[in-house]
Amino acid sequence: MKTILETKELCKYYGSDENLVKAVDHVNLKIMQGEFVSIVGKSGSGKSTLLHLLGGLDNPTSGEVWVDGKNIADFSKEQLAVTRRRQIGFVFQAFNLVSSLNVWENVVLPVGLDGKKVDEGFVKDILRTLGLEKKEKNLPNTLSGGQQQRTAIARAIAAKPSIVLADEPTGNLDTGTGDEVIALLKLSAKKYGQTLVVITHNEDIAQMADRTIVIEDGKIVM
Amino acid sequence: MKKKLAIFTVLLLAMAVFAGILGYGMIYKIYKNERRTVQNLAGRVIPAYPDAENVFMDALSDSEKSGAENGAKILDRYGYNEGDAMILDAVYEPMVRKFVLILSLYIVIVALFGYGFLRITDQRQKEQEEIFLLFLDKCLSGNCGVESEEGRLKLNRLRNPLLEDALKKLGENLQMKREYMESEQDHTKTLVTDISHQLKTPVSALKTCFALCIETDNDEEREEFLNRCETQMDKLEMLVDSLLCISRLETGIINLRGENTTLTEIIVEAVNSIYAKALNKNIKIITEDFTDVVLNLDKKWTAEAIANILDNAVKYGYEGNHITIRAQKFYSFMRVEVEDRGIGIPKEEQTKIFQRFYRGRNDVVRNTEGSGVGLYLSRQILDRQGGTISVRSAREKGCIFVIQLPL
């Protein structure tokens, strides 16, 4: 299987001297294409920082992140933005939807930013898969938490990225809805052939993944 | 491409402007030459014949040139023949030469430029096509991993980045499928090895029992060994049954076929298959009320998945307690929970129980019949139909299996 995401001796430190915090400390990991990997750790274990580094949202103190065989440190700002848009879809705990745009507009926004034509059939299919076909015209504030997160998932998938990075996607949801969101992420990643990396502190959710990486004090322990 | 076309156009325009300036220069020279001739004539004729001044000026402003014919006849006598080639004229000859030279140069340059441009475009086109062909060739020969071949494939030299992206994704997709197929093959091999290992223990036990049975003269002992043989046979049969299920599922002989069914039907089928065992142990299976839904799933196999969970709940449950089944409709999934009050599953084992042939470390588990196949099978069945299965510890004791079935 092909490695889609890899880190080499990845470090992210904050502060200095006595106040030095090693949020991510010499992390080496390999994620294969099509895998569903969960990264589990307590809050403050550095898992969110790791996800931000994986997605090129943050710069490492040292070490490298390789996306699809390319070191993202070699990218210009513009190239990095393009890679993020085309290759990586993000799902956040706080949904991060644009409140003045309706569901459909939110979902197709990244595609539009990339200057690509919106594949309407594909987006419709995603919305149907995620049970949002009747909510297309709704504004985010008229949706429940679960619906908002499903909209965010649809947005992450609509640009046909190879990787979907989800940071505590169930953090703001009750257990049942959270389980469902994970099942949906898994279902759509499988359907559209995407690699899925989910960060969570919830070990029950990790059970649904193909593989679990446990992180403690910035280090991979399992 | 567009940039090059723009440069080419600008070059052509520059040359046209140059040609224009050149042409204008020549016309100007001719004009000046004519002026000089007239001035010369006026300067010579008028001082000699002052009376002719009026006639001369008249002739100059005569736009119809009525005296031209007459003049031509007079001049003809002096060899100023109108039929003479312009090139023979001492004044015009260098101008004509210059004009012809520059014109031919201009034509040659434009032709060269055009030819070069076409050649380059053609070459580019060919190069792009070659990249395409090479890539397609690779794909056809089944080696379309873009990563290792990037240097050779030169996909990054495609001028359209979207095209490059799409081709890469196509290549990766094909490669992934290919590798998936290969890993499936490996998987099948491992499965065969696993199966042989699983069969080995009961078969050798059976063999020993048989050998002892044949050797012994004691009737009581024979009875005892025969009983053991039967137990081993039962074990073997059970194992073969579940292995058959796995191998069928894994080799794709079993196609999970979606059919219109309801959750009630599935649960009823699952509970029915386990009912006798539960009754033996005096364990009640309670299904809490739920709103039934229509599901598009393989009824038989989905029931089997749930039955495996119930089977474990009965096997590892204490006599006289009960199992609760709850169902709740969500947006895209039906959530089914199976809660038991049995021995429970330690947290560190909760992810492992879905692995093939994994059996709990607990003594109770060790001493209970089982092959470590049931939950693996359940997960396979549910995963393949877009569902999920997970387990969490119940509040008091026992555990809750959570199944999500796509609506």
Side-chain angles (χ1 to χ4, degrees), chain B residues 18-37:
Chain B
F18 176 70
I21 292 169
L22 201 83
Y24 182 80
M26 283 189 175
I27 294 168
Y28 184 69
K29 261 189 184 170
I30 294 163
Y31 169 73
K32 238 182 145 183
N33 186 45
E34 195 196 314
R35 278 262 140 142
R36 294 289 293 174
T37 313

Side-chain angles (χ1 to χ4, degrees), chain B residues 56-286:
Chain B
F56 193 91
M57 291 320 288
D58 249 13
L60 251 185
S61 55
D62 177 11
S63 63
E64 282 175 15
K65 312 230 187 290
S66 49
E69 214 170 302
N70 215 0
K73 274 180 193 159
I74 297 166
L75 288 171
D76 199 27
R77 275 184 262 148
Y78 296 90
Y80 275 96
N81 201 325
E82 218 182 325
D84 283 349
M86 188 165 60
I87 194 92
L88 295 176
D89 189 298
V91 180
Y92 286 97
E93 194 239 316
M95 270 205 273
V96 171
R97 267 181 200 284
K98 210 168 148 192
F99 178 74
V100 169
L101 184 75
I102 289 175
L103 188 71
S104 16
L105 248 162
Y106 181 80
I107 288 169
V108 167
I109 290 174
V110 169
L112 274 176
F113 255 120
Y115 178 71
F117 184 75
L118 280 179
R119 259 308 271 282
I120 289 170
T121 322
D122 199 41
Q123 226 165 9
R124 287 274 163 79
Q125 184 78 29
K126 259 191 193 149
E127 196 193 36
Q128 297 275 308
E129 277 169 10
E130 261 166 31
I131 295 172
F132 257 113
L133 285 175
L134 190 67
F135 175 78
L136 292 179
D137 222 36
K138 280 265 156 203
C139 279
L140 280 176
S141 65
N143 182 14
C144 33
V146 178
E147 195 181 18
S148 55
E149 293 284 338
E150 201 140 355
R152 268 170 52 79
L153 283 177
K154 294 177 189 151
L155 281 183
N156 52 352
R157 290 184 64 177
L158 284 176
R159 271 192 301 237
N160 187 340
L162 288 178
L163 198 63
E164 180 194 338
D165 235 37
L167 278 184
K168 273 190 182 172
K169 276 182 185 159
L170 176 73
E172 280 158 15
N173 197 302
L174 284 174
Q175 184 71 5
M176 204 169 92
K177 287 196 173 127
R178 199 184 147 78
E179 279 167 9
Y180 177 73
M181 256 165 54
E182 277 165 10
S183 82
E184 274 291 274
Q185 234 167 30
D186 283 349
H187 203 68
T188 313
K189 278 184 207 154
T190 339
L191 182 72
V192 172
T193 320
D194 278 348
I195 289 172
S196 344
H197 277 287
Q198 288 286 314
L199 287 174
K200 215 171 166 169
T201 324
V203 166
S204 60
L206 201 60
K207 204 175 162 188
T208 320
C209 282
F210 263 125
L212 290 169
C213 207
I214 291 163
E215 275 168 29
T216 186
D217 299 325
N218 186 331
D219 274 356
E220 212 172 293
E221 259 183 23
R222 181 168 292 149
E223 182 93 351
E224 159 82 20
F225 286 130
L226 275 176
N227 272 339
R228 283 200 194 176
C229 278
E230 202 186 354
T231 320
Q232 290 302 332
M233 281 303 285
D234 285 347
K235 210 170 170 181
L236 214 53
E237 194 184 1
M238 203 183 77
L239 192 67
V240 168
D241 278 348
S242 45
L243 286 177
L244 220 58
C245 281
I246 292 191
S247 70
R248 276 187 188 153
L249 201 68
E250 295 207 344
T251 51
I253 295 170
I254 293 174
N255 269 326
L256 296 169
R257 236 166 293 182
E259 57 192 310
N260 267 344
T261 179
T262 63
L263 184 59
T264 309
E265 279 178 341
I266 292 172
I267 289 180
V268 165
E269 193 165 327
V271 171
N272 276 345
S273 69
I274 225 73
Y275 189 72
K277 272 192 197 172
L279 204 65
N280 268 344
K281 249 182 140 175
N282 194 23
I283 291 177
K284 270 193 207 131
I285 302 174
I286 302 163

Side-chain angles (χ1 to χ4, degrees), chain B residues 335-393:
Chain B
R335 183 187 177 92
V336 182
E337 293 186 357
V338 177
E339 181 172 1
D340 65 57
R341 281 156 195 77
I343 60 170
I345 301 165
K347 218 167 175 65
E348 61 274 15
E349 283 191 286
Q350 282 179 358
T351 40
K352 293 183 186 155
I353 55 168
F354 299 107
Q355 291 168 9
R356 189 167 69 193
F357 300 131
Y358 183 85
R359 300 218 58 206
R361 303 247 170 75
N362 190 311
D363 284 341
V364 183
V365 181
R366 293 260 164 229
N367 296 326
T368 311
E369 296 276 295
S371 53
V373 161
L375 288 177
Y376 169 75
L377 205 59
S378 296
R379 185 174 177 163
Q380 289 295 316
I381 293 166
L382 295 169
D383 266 8
R384 271 166 207 240
Q385 299 186 98
T388 67
I389 181 170
S390 59
V391 69
R392 49 203 68 177
S393 297

Side-chain angles (χ1 to χ4, degrees), chain A residues 1-2 33 68 70 86 144 150 160 175-177 179-180 183-184 186-187 190 204 207-209, chain B residues 147 165 168-169 172 176 179-180 330-333 335 350-351 379 383 386 388 390-392 404:
Chain A
M1 282 272 136
K2 181 179 165 234
Q33 189 159 34
D68 200 9
K70 292 196 190 83
R86 291 204 191 127
S144 69
R150 280 182 281 137
K160 302 180 188 165
T175 317
T177 314
D179 285 346
E180 186 178 39
L184 277 172
K186 187 176 171 175
L187 186 72
K190 188 174 154 195
D204 301 338
Q207 282 181 30
M208 291 182 232
Chain B
E147 195 181 18
D165 235 37
K168 273 190 182 172
K169 276 182 185 159
E172 280 158 15
M176 204 169 92
E179 279 167 9
Y180 177 73
F330 278 75
Y331 297 99
S332 321
F333 288 87
R335 183 187 177 92
Q350 282 179 358
T351 40
R379 185 174 177 163
D383 266 8
T388 67
S390 59
V391 69
R392 49 203 68 177
Q404 296 187 95

